[in-house]
Amino acid sequence: MSEHSFATARIQNVFSKLSKSRYLTAKDEDVLAGEIRRLESSLGLQKRRMHYREGAVERSKEEREALEMRLSLLQTRIEQISSEIAHKEQIIGRLQGDLDKSRHAIAQLDGEKQQVLDDNARLLDEREVFAQTSSFACSKASSSQTDPTAFMVAAVNQATSCVKVMVHSFTNLLLAEALAKAAQRGVAVYVLYDGSWADAAAAAGGASEVHSVLTRIFKRWRSAGVRHATQHGKKLSSHPTVRYHPFNHNSMCIDDKVLITGRLEFADVRAGEESTLVVVASPTGQPIKSVVDTVLLFDHLWQKRTKHANLSREVTTIRLPKL
């Protein structure tokens, strides 16, 4: 039993005695006063407890409100994060779709690449080698580059059956000597050059350097058996006084199997001037269309050559009037 309940029982006992005897003893008064004081003390303690509990409840309410506010903020933040996650999941989904498309496209490209590689391999297996070509810059000004004259002289020195040359102008003494030596060892050597250029050289007379060089070349060729003649380019019109286009072929065929052509003229190349030789030769020894066509063109032009049986003599004797 609590102290408050015990005090209440004592007071009720005193009042029960009072109702019976109608008087109180000094002892009863002391008991009653003590119990009243004890009851008052108990009531004060209860009040303090109630006040403390009310304060605790109030603090609990405040803490609860604060917790509820924090919970609300956290709930709002959770909703925001959930929204961001959903948005990012949508982005990831789109990126995943793009990635799948890219992978599919890459797979298609890989398939096409493999198809191309297979086709190339098949074509390489089926192809027939047409020709082997080499092109390089030639200049007398640089020792690191191939000298075109030395290259062509070496090619002429390897000829065994024939050499056919088509040029605009011919003043290269080293190459002329190589052609003469080839003719002397039994190689059939033919040279076609521009008739207008030869006429101009003949008209220049002995004071011209070109005239002097041609005299030496033609004399050497005549003694060696080199056959040479002139040819004209296409005529501008049918009028008898109209001149021709220059004969601008630049090619040399060795044994009807090797073709040397390019920008190089068969004249002396000045220092610093660069030319390009293109060499076409069959790796298997079989006829090559470009070489065969060039040989046929030369044979056709040789049949229609201008008749200059003794061109070297004509160069020294003929004087053409200036037009």
Side-chain angles (χ1 to χ4, degrees):
M1 181 181 292
S2 65
E3 184 179 357
H4 179 72
S5 299
F6 182 76
T8 301
R10 295 285 299 273
I11 292 173
Q12 287 179 352
N13 188 22
V14 172
F15 277 108
S16 177
K17 288 181 179 181
L18 181 61
S19 62
K20 293 178 179 180
S21 60
R22 297 186 181 212
Y23 67 93
L24 297 174
T25 62
K27 184 179 178 180
D28 292 333
E29 291 179 352
D30 291 339
V31 171
L32 183 59
E35 295 301 330
I36 291 173
R37 287 194 298 271
R38 185 180 298 174
L39 184 59
E40 289 177 350
S41 176
S42 177
L43 289 174
L45 180 60
Q46 292 293 332
K47 286 182 179 179
R48 289 194 298 273
R49 287 179 178 175
M50 289 295 294
H51 180 72
Y52 176 77
R53 288 177 180 175
E54 288 177 354
V57 170
E58 191 68 26
R59 289 193 300 272
S60 298
K61 288 182 178 179
E62 293 177 354
E63 291 176 356
R64 180 178 178 180
E65 291 177 353
L67 288 175
E68 289 178 350
M69 184 174 294
R70 291 184 60 187
L71 182 61
S72 177
L73 293 175
L74 289 174
Q75 188 67 31
T76 303
R77 181 57 181 163
I78 289 173
E79 292 176 355
Q80 292 178 352
I81 293 175
S82 299
S83 178
E84 293 176 359
I85 291 174
H87 179 65
K88 290 182 178 180
E89 286 178 349
Q90 292 178 356
I91 295 176
I92 291 173
R94 289 196 299 269
L95 292 176
Q96 186 66 37
D98 295 339
L99 180 60
D100 293 339
K101 291 179 181 179
S102 299
R103 287 176 177 173
H104 182 67
I106 290 173
Q108 287 183 337
L109 291 175
D110 288 340
E112 294 176 0
K113 177 182 177 181
Q114 187 61 41
Q115 183 65 34
V116 171
L117 292 176
D118 294 341
D119 291 342
N120 288 340
R122 178 176 55 81
L123 291 174
L124 288 175
D125 292 337
E126 295 176 355
R127 75 184 177 92
E128 179 181 358
V129 178
F130 175 73
Q132 288 183 344
T133 63
S134 59
S135 177
F136 47 86
C138 302
S139 174
K140 285 188 176 180
S142 174
S143 59
S144 63
Q145 295 175 316
T146 304
D147 185 352
T149 299
F151 181 85
M152 288 189 291
V153 167
V156 171
N157 291 338
Q158 295 177 7
T160 58
S161 61
C162 64
V163 178
K164 299 176 181 179
V165 180
M166 291 188 294
V167 295
H168 173 267
S169 56
F170 201 118
T171 58
N172 194 318
L173 293 174
L174 293 177
L175 186 56
E177 180 63 22
L179 293 173
K181 290 181 179 179
Q184 286 178 334
R185 67 173 185 268
V187 177
V189 180
Y190 304 89
V191 181
L192 276 176
Y193 43 87
D194 182 59
S196 299
W197 169 79
D199 292 341
S208 170
E209 181 180 357
V210 175
H211 181 279
S212 176
V213 171
L214 282 180
T215 301
R216 294 174 57 188
I217 290 176
F218 292 159
K219 182 178 180 180
R220 180 71 177 95
W221 282 356
R222 186 172 63 253
S223 64
V226 175
R227 301 183 64 185
H228 58 96
T230 60
Q231 184 56 272
H232 290 290
K234 184 178 179 181
K235 200 171 184 181
L236 296 175
S237 73
S238 60
H239 195 277
T241 61
V242 175
R243 297 186 178 183
Y244 295 88
H245 282 295
F247 183 76
N248 281 327
H249 293 282
N250 285 318
S251 64
M252 179 167 62
C253 293
I254 307 295
D255 296 337
D256 293 342
K257 296 179 180 180
V258 179
L259 170 63
I260 302 176
T261 184
R263 295 178 58 245
L264 179 69
E265 294 183 359
F266 288 70
D268 286 330
V269 181
R270 297 180 181 177
E273 292 182 356
E274 290 195 0
S275 299
T276 300
L277 291 181
V278 177
V279 183
V280 181
S282 172
T284 61
Q286 298 298 322
I288 301 176
K289 187 176 185 303
S290 58
V291 180
V292 172
D293 290 345
T294 304
V295 171
L296 292 176
L297 175 62
F298 179 88
D299 293 341
H300 173 73
L301 294 176
W302 182 260
Q303 294 298 326
K304 296 181 177 298
R305 66 190 182 277
T306 304
K307 303 299 181 180
H308 281 288
N310 296 311
L311 186 59
S312 60
R313 185 180 301 173
E314 295 178 13
V315 169
T316 59
T317 60
I318 294 177
R319 297 293 183 268
L320 298 179
K322 293 184 180 180
L323 299 178

